[in-house]
Amino acid sequence: MSEKTLTVLGSTGSIGRNTLDVIQRFPGRFRIHALAAHNNVEMLADQIDVHHPAVAVVFDPEAASRLREILPGNGATAVLTGMEGLVEAVSAPEVDQVISGMVGSVGLRPTYAAIECGKQVAIANKETLVLAGQLMIEAAAESGARLLPMDSEHNAIFQCLNGNGSRGLERIVLTASGGPFRDLPFERFGEITREQALAHPNWKMGPKISIDSATMMNKGLEVIEARWLFGLQADRIQVLIHRQSIVHSMVEFVDGSVIAQLGLPDMRTPIAHCLAYPDRLPLDLPRLNLAEVGKLEFEEVPPDKFSCLFLALEVLELGGGAPAALNGANEEIVAVFLDDGLLFSAIPTVLGQVVKKLKEILKQPEPPAGLRDVGSVKEALDADRWGRDAALAIINHAAYPHRSANIA
Ligand code: MG
């Protein structure tokens, strides 16, 4: 088995750390060309010590200078910075696979660069396909880049399709845990605290995605990703709440056959699948024992409790840069919520107002750049920016009930 050379974007985040955990279990199987982090240089320095990459990228230039001071002065690892550094780290000819594990829209350009270079690209960065799905898929078709979905649901579907593309495919069923509030009555959503929203019952994830899971916006973004990854219209993508998070997703074929992928909720399984693709790694992790799990339950998503999911379906229908705008708006709203500046129940309310405004503006003969069509990464980011500004304008003008006001 030949050694595979990797660039890991977002190496200090949840996806990156799990990726390096898998890699460390298989010495000689992978070589790290580059590790890239936003600004956590202490953790990055430890990772460099273990994996000896040729290149380290720290997005933040000040943090990059700090890393240069920490590293031993032998120059074994070159330290790059900024977007240029990221693009250089993914484009190097020796790189076979890029792990796109950064959080946020900053991941778009380097992921696009990796696709344009025809690399294998393991996609964990949601924004890539949410903001610019069509652009990315078309670029991959042109360059021959292989996109490998690393998110558990999309990886499950990818495994179920088993390389047969959409032949005979009727629909896909994305499963969702339903987050921490699946059993809480909607009337009590206003009481939800930040800590409660951050405590996901099944998966350990970063704060932004934990909130997105609690509102089910995460599943909405995943529907948008699935639409592009598997070339299906939204009406052929179903979402079911499955509280055990054992069935990671399913596909249904025209003859009525349903194939599901199951496993314990551990990110390292889909990560290992992408890293070794098309091979499999003998991963020594706790195994699924269905007798122990006992039962697997599935429920429809209650629309009143999880309207964020349905807003995502609406913007997917609008097309163009509408999903990018929704994503940008959601990021800002979640940031305000995490800052204790907004009630949990206001998240879908503000988002709903953004979508309303978006629909109005799309009726204009010339809507702002990127909103109707996304022809470049820049236009995708423009649409994202529009969503952010719209959300902040609504929050700042409407005097939404703030948590502090609520406590008083
Ligand atoms: Mg997921």
Side-chain angles (χ1 to χ4, degrees), residues 126 150-154 175 203 205 209 213 218-219 222 225 248 267:
K126 286 219 148 71
M150 209 172 228
D151 200 359
S152 63
E153 295 81 358
H154 306 94
T175 55
W203 296 92
M205 303 173 294
I209 185 169
S213 293
N218 182 51
K219 209 50 55 177
E222 288 182 358
E225 290 181 275
H248 298 314
M267 276 314 296

Side-chain angles (χ1 to χ4, degrees), residues 19-306:
T19 299
L20 295 180
D21 175 288
V22 172
I23 286 168
Q24 250 185 301
R25 292 161 182 258
F26 299 93
R29 187 74 198 257
F30 301 99
R31 199 165 67 82
I32 307 274
H33 170 72
L35 294 173
H38 182 68
N39 61 12
N40 188 347
V41 293
E42 289 73 23
M43 192 190 291
L44 182 58
D46 289 341
Q47 293 177 341
I48 291 169
D49 208 32
V50 175
H51 296 281
H52 311 290
V55 172
V57 188
V58 185
F59 188 72
D60 178 50
E62 260 173 53
S65 317
R66 271 207 326 255
L67 180 66
R68 287 191 190 99
E69 284 165 24
I70 304 175
L71 288 185
N74 59 12
T77 300
V79 179
L80 307 179
T81 184
M83 193 53 75
E84 264 171 55
L86 292 173
V87 171
E88 196 175 323
V90 302
S91 319
E94 58 266 48
V95 174
D96 302 308
Q97 186 177 114
V98 173
I99 318 301
S100 173
M102 303 168 82
V103 177
S105 53
V106 68
L108 246 75
R109 273 185 214 282
T111 309
Y112 190 57
I115 292 174
E116 281 190 307
C117 293
K119 308 290 188 193
Q120 272 192 356
V121 184
I123 297 201
N125 170 274
K126 286 219 148 71
E127 288 74 13
T128 299
L129 292 169
V130 171
L131 269 67
Q134 187 163 8
L135 188 71
M136 299 291 166
I137 295 297
E138 284 172 3
E142 198 163 305
S143 70
R146 183 64 146 138
L147 303 186
L148 302 167
M150 209 172 228
D151 200 359
S152 63
E153 295 81 358
H154 306 94
N155 184 265
I157 293 162
F158 185 67
Q159 291 198 42
C160 292
L161 293 174
N162 196 24
N164 288 319
S166 54
R167 198 187 315 155
L169 181 64
E170 172 103 12
R171 62 179 182 149
I172 62 183
V173 182
L174 289 175
T175 55
S177 69
F181 310 124
R182 58 198 175 203
D183 295 322
L184 190 75
F186 181 52
E187 302 77 58
R188 297 188 51 197
F189 269 39
E191 304 163 17
I192 291 168
T193 66
R194 191 176 67 156
E195 284 60 40
Q196 289 168 334
L198 284 171
H200 194 275
N202 304 16
W203 296 92
K204 276 184 72 182
M205 303 173 294
K208 197 272 180 176
I209 185 169
S210 294
I211 302 305
D212 284 351
S213 293
T215 61
M216 286 193 74
M217 172 50 87
N218 182 51
K219 209 50 55 177
L221 300 178
E222 288 182 358
V223 170
I224 298 171
E225 290 181 275
R227 185 261 172 272
W228 296 114
L229 277 171
F230 307 110
L232 288 180
Q233 297 297 329
D235 60 353
R236 290 168 70 198
I237 304 171
Q238 191 193 359
V239 176
L240 285 179
I241 290 183
H242 166 48
R243 56 182 63 224
Q244 289 83 10
S245 292
I246 296 295
V247 174
H248 298 314
S249 278
M250 307 173 243
V251 304
E252 183 180 330
F253 294 96
V254 287
D255 59 4
S257 282
V258 176
I259 296 184
Q261 188 262 349
L262 286 71
L264 290 175
D266 189 319
M267 276 314 296
R268 288 172 292 184
T269 304
I271 286 172
H273 179 255
C274 290
L275 287 176
Y277 183 83
D279 297 318
R280 296 259 182 188
L281 294 172
L283 201 54
D284 185 19
L285 291 176
R287 294 297 167 103
L288 174 62
N289 180 336
L290 278 175
E292 226 167 71
V293 174
K295 59 179 179 180
L296 300 175
E297 298 162 285
F298 301 91
E299 305 152 56
E300 296 279 1
V301 181
D304 54 344
K305 279 168 75 165
F306 299 114

Side-chain angles (χ1 to χ4, degrees), residues 373-408:
D373 290 299
V374 175
S376 64
V377 169
K378 186 188 173 298
E379 283 182 348
L381 295 174
D382 285 344
D384 176 90
R385 183 77 255 167
W386 182 91
R388 289 173 191 276
D389 293 344
L392 289 177
I394 290 166
I395 291 171
N396 293 333
H397 288 116
Y400 269 89
H402 285 211
R403 176 162 314 288
S404 46
N406 195 41
I407 291 163

